């Protein structure tokens, strides 16, 4: 332990911290063991919220911890870091699918426009929109780290060749069913 920077030992609830050498002498200091409040339950809850939101600030707030504290925990705890990466991959896959659904289908909102005196309804209209700004911001923020994690774990993302081949196959089946139903024949399910 002696002579190495940052080494720690324990004695009756205290931590011996050896700091880097200064002026040729090692620095030694006894301190109380640090209790940062990150229980296993808080860590699990943080990772659950992170996987649901892709938002580190919101996940830290949900467990009553600081954003800087969660980043410090991530740096010092390899298992938590791995859980973090897995949670982000899950959230990221959801974002990818959300963006794909929104790009294809958009969002419909019914808007009511009151008449001039405000007592009746002049028009009701359906507005089709694509509110993707927040999803795109999160998508871009975590893209490279999720891609690295997927590569390490052998996970195929929604944009992988195997996923695209599966989508193409489903589209071909849908086209065949449609063509068959339009011609009055079999619908492609085996039932006449």
């Amino acid at each position: 332990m002696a002579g190495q920077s940052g080494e720690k030992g324990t004695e009756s609830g205290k931590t011996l911290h050896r700091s880097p050498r200064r002026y040729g002498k090692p620095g030694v200091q006894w301190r109380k063991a640090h209790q940062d409040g990150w229980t296993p339950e808080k860590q699990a809850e943080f990772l659950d919220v992170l996987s649901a939101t892709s938002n580190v600030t919101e996940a830290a707030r949900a467990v009553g911890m600081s954003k800087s504290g969660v980043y410090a925990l991530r740096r010092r705890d390899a298992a938590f870091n791995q859980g973090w990466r897995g949670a982000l991959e899950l959230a990221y896959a959801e974002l990818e699918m959300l963006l794909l659904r929104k790009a294809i289908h958009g969002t419909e909102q019914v808007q009511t426009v009151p008449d001039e005196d405000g007592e009746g309804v002049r028009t009701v209209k359906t507005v089709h929109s694509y509110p993707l700004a927040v999803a795109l911001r999160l998508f871009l923020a975590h893209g490279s780290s999720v891609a690295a994690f997927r590569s390490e774990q052998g996970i195929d993302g929604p944009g992988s060749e195997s996923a695209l081949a599966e989508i193409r196959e489903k589209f071909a089946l849908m086209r065949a069913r449609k063509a068959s139903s339009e011609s009055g024949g079999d619908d492609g399910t085996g039932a006449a």
Side-chain angles (χ1 to χ4, degrees):
M1 214 199 295
Q4 292 189 13
S5 168
E7 286 189 63
K8 296 179 182 179
T10 59
E11 179 180 293
S12 65
K14 294 184 180 179
T15 301
L16 172 63
H17 179 76
R18 294 186 184 275
S19 57
R21 290 182 176 266
R22 294 183 190 196
Y23 310 110
K25 298 178 183 177
V28 177
Q29 179 181 13
W30 284 99
R31 298 187 277 203
K32 275 191 156 181
H34 181 64
Q35 299 295 323
D36 64 4
W38 279 104
T39 64
E41 294 79 18
K42 279 190 179 183
Q43 290 180 24
E45 186 179 348
F46 172 87
L47 295 174
D48 285 344
V49 175
L50 183 62
S51 70
T53 65
S54 224
N55 188 321
V56 175
T57 303
E58 183 57 36
R61 186 179 302 124
V63 297
M65 302 301 280
S66 71
K67 187 173 157 183
S68 61
V70 76
Y71 279 108
L73 176 63
R74 179 180 165 199
R75 281 190 301 275
R76 72 177 179 268
D77 187 331
F80 181 74
N81 183 34
Q82 188 69 5
W84 176 309
R85 295 175 73 206
L88 272 184
E89 192 283 325
L90 180 64
Y92 198 80
E94 285 294 321
L95 275 175
E96 286 176 314
M97 295 312 297
L98 170 72
L99 289 172
L100 181 59
R101 283 191 299 272
K102 295 295 181 184
I104 293 170
H105 304 292
T107 303
E108 285 188 3
Q109 294 179 337
V110 176
Q111 294 182 346
T112 306
V113 179
D115 61 9
E116 288 78 32
D117 61 2
E119 294 183 21
V121 175
R122 186 172 71 189
T123 20
V124 175
K125 62 181 180 178
T126 301
V127 178
H128 202 78
S129 65
Y130 300 91
L132 304 175
V134 173
L136 281 172
R137 200 165 48 242
L138 292 170
F139 190 74
L140 294 172
H142 300 300
S144 60
S145 62
V146 168
F149 178 77
R150 285 179 177 167
S151 176
E152 290 170 12
Q153 300 297 316
I155 299 170
D156 284 338
S160 68
E161 278 305 313
S162 62
L164 292 174
E166 186 178 335
I167 290 169
R168 286 186 201 107
E169 184 179 311
K170 288 181 181 181
F171 278 138
L173 181 60
M174 289 167 43
R175 285 188 200 102
R177 286 182 182 164
K178 183 178 179 188
S180 179
S181 67
E182 288 174 354
S183 66
D186 185 13
D187 64 357
T189 63

